[in-house]
Amino acid sequence: MGRKRMPRVAAVFLVAGWVVCGRFAAAAVTAEPVASYVLEARLHAKEKLVHGRGQILWRNATDRTVETLQFHLYMNAFRNSESSFMRELSWRGRYRRRKPHEWGWIELDTLRWGSYDLLVTARFIHPDDDNELDRTVLEVGLPRPVGPGDSVRLNVVFRTKLPRILARTGYEGEDFFFVAQWFPKVGVLEPGGWNCHQFHRNSEFYADFGTYDVRLIVPRDAVVGATGLLMEEHAQDSVRVLRYRAENVHDFAFTASPLYRVYTDSFGSAEIRVLMQKGHEAQARRHLEAAKTAMRRFGEWFGPYPYPVLTVVDTKGRAGGMEYPTLITAGVLFGPWLPRGLRTVEAVVFHEFGHQYWYGMVANNEFEEAWLDEGINSYCEVRLFEEEYGPRGNLLDVLGQRLSDLELQRMQLQLIPAPDPVLRKAWEFVDSQSYSVNSYAKVAVALTTLERLAGEERWLAFLRKYFERWRFRHPHTEDFLSLLREEIPEPAYKGFLRQVLEVPGHLDYGVERVSTHREGKPLGVDFDVAAAETDSAATPREGRSSADTTWYRSEVLLRRYGEFQLPVEALLLFANGDTLRFSWDGAERWHRIQVRHPARLKAAVIDPEGKIPMDLNENNNSRTVEPRRRGVWKLVARWVYWLQGMFSLASFLS
Ligand SMILES: [Zn+2]
């Protein structure tokens, strides 16, 4: 059922205000650079090898003195079948058929601080498991401690062998390269020490902000997409040299292939580039339009996209999406035959673009608290679909088949077993399905529920404040919850979200029983008739005196079947058209409503406006006195129509 929307005029003013304020605010906000890179990467297409060299400038932004540095060497996850990443792949058997040249790795040839060779003390460490064979985290000792505020400038030379595409990284055939997680990347020094996890099957990334200045040397015929803005480009002999620069980012990825077709557009001051695979040209416009739509909506909600460029890459091989700063991938399903009403291109572009905000700018630790980007971002995706295409059939609307993005998220919650809490390290979930249902769908549906309960305007103002406070920083779950408490103080909402995050459970309220019977004459002895007559839950209708009214006693039993708790509302519908509304805090396992009313009870409905999409079982949300299922929703629909249109009905607290 329709959500309450603010009047259109008010919305326009609000949005205009946001956009204007956002411009000024965004201009002033940048990241404190902690880890910056000046690199040169020479791609040897035939050998599938990247020769890298350059400098890493790292600053100790904590109050703690350190005697070691830790680096992610992500590409070593693809080194052999014994890395933690490969061991965690339940279908790793497939990779046993990989040929030796199809694996990937990274070798550090030089790592120096001034004249000191840091590789002398280098060792692989395994902070997450005891897998001695995993080589994705390297620790080096420093010749002297680095105190708070001090900087280290390192010289680095490395070789990165690309794997045949795996986890969205590597090569396919002779002429497609997607190069991500390809350089030695400093971990994040936190007040408690280094946070530098191994690469896992389900984990994504965590890094500090900085400036990336990267010179790429690629085959002369390659079309390139990369993080940041292209500063200069020239061809010499058989290669092309391109220099990219990106500020306020925490990663750098690039892609090169002679087969890309390039399409461009712009939104505000940002240039949009779409790189399409041959044969997918027909979808280019959809990619561009989806990117512009996402930029517009996110700009309205949280403030404008602050980077000068966005590159959208239609990758080869597996379709789907992935996010890197200012560069996202959005592969095409079904090539040119994708019907307009199947909005998978839009879904991927919306989602991956959203990550520029949730991960790109608000940079939580994806290893440990993936919900802070995946969950919030999936909520934004649901919201974007509803705003753009309406609440019904916004994801799929083909040949009478309709599905909304919210329904899809709910279906995942209903159908896929996910016996973990949301708050769990990415590699500690029972499997990838549980990781993704918990990190994405569960949070998306829970936050949509909170938006509807708290009110769209308030909820969005809270989320915008959270974005502004944590942009270019690293928030944790408690930061989200404490701001929520400040901005939306109802304890039930925070309590609900905490349950969603910490308890592997679900939410389900229902109407267990309804009954109604005509009140007879009092029977028995010592009965006080006068007292019985004042026990009325509703005033008799006009024109009828209390004396000739027939009274009915009705009873409704509401139940909480799930672990999660939320305040809920119940609507009672009577034979004469009357409705009564009751609120229940939802805390106990059941709640009884008893009513004396001059008409028979026909039905009872819990959550009549559908404000709680988190309630996964809708079948028990209504019950009629006569066993008649279909009619009740008609009654409710009529009631909601009248409610929204003309009447405001009295509400009753139980
Ligand atoms: Zn995502």
Side-chain angles (χ1 to χ4, degrees):
M1 259 155 250
R3 274 181 295 160
K4 191 165 161 271
R5 285 172 187 278
M6 60 186 135
R8 188 164 293 174
V9 178
V12 168
F13 277 110
L14 201 61
V15 164
W18 280 347
V19 171
V20 171
C21 300
R23 284 258 154 76
F24 291 119
V29 175
T30 53
E32 279 286 310
V34 171
S36 294
Y37 299 77
V38 180
L39 297 174
E40 179 189 282
R42 182 182 286 265
L43 173 65
H44 299 274
K46 212 167 155 212
E47 295 81 12
K48 320 289 189 275
L49 199 65
V50 175
H51 270 123
R53 61 171 62 240
Q55 292 191 327
I56 301 173
L57 182 65
W58 179 78
R59 187 170 60 85
N60 182 352
T62 71
D63 294 333
R64 167 189 192 101
T65 297
V66 283
E67 295 175 354
T68 60
L69 293 177
Q70 291 187 5
F71 294 88
H72 292 284
L73 300 180
Y74 288 114
M75 204 59 92
N76 279 342
F78 315 131
R79 198 175 184 99
N80 53 48
S81 61
E82 302 314 309
S83 67
S84 293
F85 183 102
M86 291 310 247
R87 284 182 174 179
E88 288 163 4
L89 277 180
S90 52
W91 30 290
R92 65 178 170 148
R94 267 175 63 179
Y95 293 103
R96 297 215 176 272
R97 275 181 269 130
R98 284 205 156 218
K99 299 183 182 100
H101 65 270
E102 293 177 343
W103 296 88
W105 43 257
I106 176 169
E107 285 291 335
L108 277 183
D109 296 320
T110 303
L111 185 63
R112 303 188 78 89
W113 182 18
S115 59
Y116 188 82
D117 179 3
L118 296 177
L119 290 180
V120 173
T121 57
R123 62 189 187 109
F124 293 107
I125 58 170
H126 326 96
D128 306 334
D129 57 28
D130 50 8
N131 181 5
E132 296 285 331
L133 299 172
D134 189 77
R135 297 191 186 182
T136 57
V137 180
L138 186 80
E139 184 178 74
V140 297
L142 291 166
R144 58 174 188 276
V146 175
D150 290 349
S151 292
V152 173
R153 186 180 292 274
L154 307 171
N155 283 304
V156 62
V157 178
F158 58 96
R159 283 165 295 137
T160 300
K161 165 71 177 62
L162 302 172
R164 189 157 65 77
I165 223 144
L166 215 168
R168 300 129 169 164
T169 297
Y171 69 90
E172 198 63 60
E174 293 305 308
D175 48 18
F176 173 81
F177 299 91
F178 198 95
V179 187
Q181 314 308 336
W182 55 282
F183 57 94
K185 200 167 170 192
V186 194
V188 176
L189 184 65
E190 295 187 328
W194 283 105
N195 192 302
C196 193
H197 291 292
Q198 294 159 252
F199 199 6
H200 297 276
R201 163 78 182 92
N202 290 327
S203 67
E204 291 187 314
F205 311 105
Y206 183 41
D208 274 314
F209 287 93
T211 298
Y212 285 72
D213 196 321
V214 182
R215 182 183 297 272
L216 300 176
I217 303 168
V218 297
R220 193 182 176 118
D221 61 350
V223 176
V224 174
T227 293
L229 197 60
L230 179 62
M231 308 300 287
E232 50 185 272
E233 176 179 13
H234 66 270
Q236 71 185 51
D237 306 328
S238 63
V239 298
R240 265 171 4 100
V241 181
L242 307 96
R243 193 182 133 232
Y244 286 86
R245 187 179 163 84
E247 291 168 6
N248 305 314
V249 298
H250 47 67
D251 199 4
F252 185 99
F254 68 96
T255 180
S257 168
L259 303 178
Y260 282 131
R261 304 282 182 271
V262 183
Y263 300 83
T264 58
D265 204 331
S266 65
F267 184 83
S269 54
E271 184 200 352
I272 307 171
R273 286 181 88 219
V274 171
L275 308 185
M276 298 300 291
Q277 294 290 328
K278 203 175 159 190
H280 292 178
E281 293 88 342
Q283 303 298 337
R285 186 65 0 229
R286 282 181 72 168
H287 281 72
L288 286 168
E289 289 305 321
K292 284 160 73 176
T293 300
M295 282 174 147
R296 189 180 78 247
R297 292 292 185 186
F298 274 82
E300 288 167 6
W301 299 337
F302 309 119
Y305 178 71
Y307 301 106
V309 63
L310 175 75
T311 302
V312 184
V313 182
D314 168 28
T315 51
K316 201 167 173 176
R318 229 186 100 205
M322 183 60 193
E323 69 278 8
Y324 305 94
T326 80
L327 181 140
I328 60 177
T329 72
V332 169
L333 275 172
F334 311 131
W337 299 283
L338 187 69
R340 279 215 80 83
L342 177 54
R343 300 196 179 95
T344 52
V345 168
E346 289 75 9
V348 180
V349 173
F350 290 173
H351 184 93
E352 305 309 338
F353 175 78
H355 274 305
Q356 298 300 317
Y357 286 70
W358 311 114
Y359 142 91
M361 286 184 266
V362 178
N364 56 288
N365 185 334
E366 294 187 293
F367 290 92
E368 297 181 2
E369 298 169 301
W371 81 272
L372 280 171
D373 59 294
E374 294 302 355
I376 295 174
N377 192 38
S378 298
Y379 153 76
C380 289
E381 173 199 315
V382 165
R383 190 181 156 75
L384 215 166
F385 268 106
E386 294 202 348
E387 292 273 304
E388 204 58 31
Y389 306 106
R392 303 258 167 264
N394 56 37
L395 180 63
L396 169 79
D397 193 351
V398 179
L399 302 173
Q401 299 302 308
R402 304 177 101 197
L403 184 73
S404 74
D405 196 42
L406 180 60
E407 283 163 343
L408 181 70
Q409 310 279 350
R410 275 168 49 87
M411 276 165 62
Q412 294 176 54
L413 277 183
Q414 287 159 341
L415 300 176
I416 301 174
D420 293 286
V422 171
L423 276 180
R424 179 152 280 189
K425 288 172 177 158
W427 60 95
E428 290 177 351
F429 286 85
V430 63
D431 52 30
S432 328
Q433 287 194 331
S434 183
Y435 164 76
S436 73
V437 168
N438 274 291
S439 308
Y440 295 68
K442 192 184 236 172
V443 178
V445 178
L447 298 187
T448 304
T449 299
L450 286 176
E451 179 205 273
R452 292 181 182 183
L453 292 172
E456 204 171 349
E457 211 173 314
R458 257 173 108 207
W459 176 257
L460 215 52
F462 151 68
L463 210 53
R464 184 187 176 94
K465 202 162 186 177
Y466 170 74
F467 170 75
E468 286 172 347
R469 182 173 293 182
W470 290 100
R471 169 173 41 187
F472 302 127
R473 295 168 67 198
H474 304 308
H476 294 285
T477 296
E478 290 308 319
D479 299 315
F480 187 92
L481 292 176
S482 71
L483 188 63
L484 178 66
R485 189 176 46 221
E486 282 170 36
E487 298 297 309
I488 301 179
E490 289 92 323
Y493 298 160
K494 188 176 160 237
F496 162 70
L497 187 55
R498 198 173 270 290
Q499 279 192 312
V500 168
L501 297 176
E502 293 175 356
V503 180
H506 73 295
L507 187 139
D508 181 18
Y509 285 94
V511 181
E512 174 128 323
R513 284 203 292 271
V514 287
S515 64
T516 191
H517 66 269
R518 192 172 156 173
E519 195 175 74
K521 288 215 158 44
L523 301 173
V525 294
D526 297 338
F527 192 83
D528 182 350
V529 176
E533 289 212 336
T534 57
D535 175 27
S536 156
T539 353
R541 309 196 107 193
E542 226 180 300
R544 292 162 75 190
S545 78
S546 177
D548 33 81
T549 303
T550 307
W551 289 90
Y552 293 85
R553 287 187 181 270
S554 303
E555 187 172 299
V556 174
L557 186 67
L558 305 179
R559 280 289 310 271
R560 172 166 68 80
Y561 300 106
E563 295 80 5
F564 300 166
Q565 298 174 18
L566 262 182
V568 288
E569 306 211 311
L571 185 74
L572 273 53
L573 301 107
F574 293 88
N576 64 352
D578 283 357
T579 56
L580 293 178
R581 202 183 170 92
F582 295 83
S583 297
W584 171 33
D585 67 8
E588 294 289 338
R589 278 287 176 173
W590 57 268
H591 177 72
R592 197 195 316 274
I593 299 170
Q594 289 171 315
V595 180
R596 184 168 178 265
H597 195 79
R600 299 182 74 84
L601 179 69
K602 276 187 87 97
V605 182
I606 206 161
D607 185 28
E609 288 104 347
K611 283 183 175 177
I612 308 182
M614 196 70 187
D615 188 336
L616 293 187
N617 182 1
E618 280 175 336
N619 293 329
N620 60 19
N621 280 17
S622 66
R623 197 168 283 277
T624 49
V625 174
E626 307 291 324
R628 185 176 61 117
R629 278 240 103 98
R630 301 190 106 225
V632 68
W633 283 111
K634 223 187 270 173
L635 283 169
V636 174
R638 198 183 307 148
W639 174 78
V640 169
Y641 172 78
W642 284 111
L643 176 77
Q644 289 172 340
M646 278 165 263
F647 296 117
S648 66
L649 295 177
S651 63
F652 290 78
L653 285 172
S654 62

